[in-house]
Amino acid sequence: MSGETDLNTLLQTLQPVLSVDAFVFVSVPYAVSPTQLANALMVYKEDEGTTLILESSFASNEGFAVDSTFKRITCNVHSSLDAVGMTAVMSAALTKANISANVVAGYYHDHIFVPAGRADEAIAVLLELANPS
């Protein structure tokens, strides 16, 4: 598996980047329309239905009720899926700041969805992990 596994290196090279777009999490019955599938940032099947992460504007246009909007923070360090502790450290720091974190791991990067109104604070928290004073 490629990617960095050393926790200190991961944190020092975190490079968190905030998305411009806002996203929502929705749940649909197991049958996902081709349009929804094509526009989904993520699809995950749960026992209760299929979770989609969609751009907020697309979800509204599709008629989904939107409770909360989130901003995506992408950690641009190429983290290994075998790395230990990175999401725990980030989650703990965001927890200390009372910011909810919904973490999604991709093959190359970890992504954290935080409440849209707290996104700048969340970036500051993560930057502090990369460059502690």
Side-chain angles (χ1 to χ4, degrees), residues 44-121:
Y44 192 84
K45 292 182 181 179
E46 298 183 280
D47 290 341
E48 300 83 0
T50 301
T51 297
L52 305 173
I53 300 177
L54 302 169
E55 282 188 26
S56 179
S57 59
F58 175 79
S60 293
N61 290 340
E62 287 286 298
F64 288 108
V66 175
D67 293 329
S68 301
T69 58
F70 299 88
K71 290 285 189 142
R72 177 185 62 195
I73 298 172
T74 297
C75 300
N76 277 333
V77 61
H78 180 183
S79 54
S80 170
L81 290 168
D82 291 327
V84 175
M86 182 175 149
T87 56
V89 170
M90 293 186 302
S91 293
L94 291 167
T95 297
K96 187 175 178 183
N98 200 34
I99 300 172
S100 70
N102 298 283
V103 181
V104 174
Y107 186 85
Y108 292 101
H109 307 288
D110 288 283
H111 310 273
I112 307 169
F113 291 84
V114 298
R118 310 261 337 253
D120 290 333
E121 288 175 78

Side-chain angles (χ1 to χ4, degrees), residues 21-24 26 28 32-43 52-66 69:
D21 298 319
F23 296 91
V24 297
V26 300
V28 297
V32 178
S33 79
T35 302
Q36 292 168 347
L37 188 58
N39 283 279
L41 187 63
M42 185 207 75
V43 177
L52 305 173
I53 300 177
L54 302 169
E55 282 188 26
S56 179
S57 59
F58 175 79
S60 293
N61 290 340
E62 287 286 298
F64 288 108
V66 175
T69 58

